[in-house]
Amino acid sequence: MAKKMVLFSVIGTIVAMIFMASSIVYPHPMLLVLAMSIGQGIAIFALVLYLLAVALDLQSSGGVYIAGEETPAIEEPPPAGGSGTPST
Amino acid sequence: MFSIHTTEQLLKAIALACAFLSVLIGIWYIVRRPHLNRVTKSMLLLGLGAFPLIVSLTGNIASFEYTLSRPFCGSCHVMGPYLRDAEDPKSNSLAAMHSRNHKFGENSCYTCHADYEMFGAITTKQNGMKHLFKYVTEYASTGPDGEGGPPIHLYKPFRSAACMQCHSATAKTWVATHADSAEAIRSGEMNCIDCHNDIHPLALSRRPTAGKGAAP
């Protein structure tokens, strides 16, 4: 799911960049207005989609157990004979 | 060879370079389809976030600057007559003479026709959007110089304040030559263009053989 979202985001950004670059190279009024409105809208949407994909990806991988980083188990002290604090 | 002489050209170059890099990163992802590890995410953040943001910022500034220029105003075909006269080195119309000014000549249309109040830049841009709407809806299928379309006219009366940016209404010589009408001009009762009206001689309405729909 996250990969598909990233793919759509990339495609949207490429389309937006082509739109905006063409309005810079060939600044006709109509093209300028479309690039500044639709082009930038597509780019913003693509960025939001990508950030959402990253968030989903982080969420889905958040519970993964990573070996070697486990804290050592706290060993319980041996029960003292007749003295010491009672164990709870 | 591409050369950079102005800030506008520099901004355009930066915008195009960042757009190219962004597309390059996008194509890399589509072709390679790498796993979403830290490196891939960082590259994509650059390609989908940082570079497009730079393109947007620099491209917008450069484009807004370009919209002030005379060639931009003249890029709609109905403005052809106005542009041809303004760029004619032999013409003595007000538009042509002001277009030869080395300070603002390249932005002569905007300099005279912009609004100059507090939010003048914004209202001028809004008018620009109105121009575009009217162009698409009323003038798109008109003749090469706008023949057959409604007469081109200002949305509101031309104000002398635009002239008085540069032409003082208090200088001695001006007062001497405009003695009878100085107060009327300053107060707005009279306009500079009431007398100095050879502005756009090639406008359709001013041609001897004006077509259908020409302004009176």
Side-chain angles (χ1 to χ4, degrees):
Chain A
M1 172 76 169
K3 275 206 149 186
K4 261 196 179 163
M5 286 170 75
V6 172
L7 182 65
F8 286 135
S9 170
V10 164
I11 292 170
T13 302
I14 289 175
V15 167
M17 289 300 102
I18 291 172
F19 227 141
M20 293 174 75
S22 60
S23 79
I24 291 170
V25 170
Y26 185 61
H28 189 271
M30 202 65 197
L31 195 53
L32 259 176
V33 168
L34 288 176
M36 285 187 181
S37 53
I38 296 174
Q40 289 186 136
I42 293 173
I44 291 169
F45 178 72
L47 178 61
V48 168
L49 201 62
Y50 169 69
L51 293 175
L52 197 61
V54 168
L56 284 175
D57 186 62
L58 285 173
Q59 198 179 35
S60 64
S61 62
V64 169
Y65 169 76
I66 303 170
E69 288 187 11
E70 184 187 43
T71 54
I74 300 170
E75 292 181 9
E76 288 190 8
S83 63
T85 55
S87 61
T88 53
Chain B
M1 198 57 193
F2 183 73
S3 59
I4 296 171
H5 298 293
T6 62
T7 310
E8 185 190 316
Q9 287 173 333
L10 176 63
L11 291 173
K12 283 185 177 178
I14 293 171
L16 288 174
C18 289
F20 174 73
L21 289 171
S22 175
V23 168
L24 212 60
I25 290 173
I27 291 172
W28 163 76
Y29 179 81
I30 288 173
V31 169
R32 298 296 297 270
R33 298 291 190 100
H35 290 294
L36 282 180
N37 52 25
R38 200 172 282 180
V39 172
T40 306
K41 284 178 187 170
S42 303
M43 288 290 284
L44 287 177
L45 191 63
L46 275 180
L48 306 183
F51 287 143
L53 189 66
I54 296 171
V55 171
S56 174
L57 284 171
T58 53
N60 276 353
I61 294 171
S63 297
F64 272 124
E65 278 302 305
Y66 184 71
T67 59
L68 307 183
S69 69
R70 194 177 57 248
F72 178 78
C73 298
S75 59
C76 290
H77 74 279
V78 296
M79 286 287 113
Y82 300 82
L83 187 71
R84 283 197 298 276
D85 170 67
E87 293 183 343
D88 182 1
K90 293 179 189 159
S91 171
N92 286 327
S93 67
L94 280 184
M97 286 196 290
H98 285 85
S99 295
R100 291 195 279 271
N101 184 292
H102 70 284
K103 279 286 187 189
F104 65 82
E106 271 307 296
N107 297 346
S108 54
C109 308
Y110 184 85
T111 306
C112 293
H113 288 286
D115 290 337
Y116 286 102
E117 296 93 8
M118 186 174 172
F119 298 106
I122 296 172
T123 56
T124 306
K125 288 297 168 210
Q126 283 175 336
N127 281 337
M129 296 297 293
K130 199 172 166 185
H131 295 337
L132 192 59
F133 178 75
K134 283 189 175 286
Y135 177 76
V136 169
T137 55
E138 294 176 11
Y139 295 94
S141 53
T142 55
D145 286 343
E147 296 95 333
I152 292 172
H153 58 87
L154 297 173
Y155 298 136
K156 49 191 175 185
F158 187 83
R159 292 173 60 183
S160 299
C163 310
M164 289 182 203
Q165 289 183 86
C166 301
H167 300 283
S168 168
T170 54
K172 272 187 188 171
T173 46
W174 186 88
V175 171
T177 49
H178 297 77
D180 295 338
S181 42
E183 276 312 311
I185 294 170
R186 287 194 205 114
S187 66
E189 274 178 53
M190 269 187 78
N191 259 326
C192 304
I193 60 171
D194 289 342
C195 299
H196 300 280
N197 54 14
D198 185 22
I199 309 165
H200 296 295
L202 295 186
L204 272 183
S205 57
R206 292 185 168 239
R207 294 189 202 169
T209 53
K212 184 174 80 168

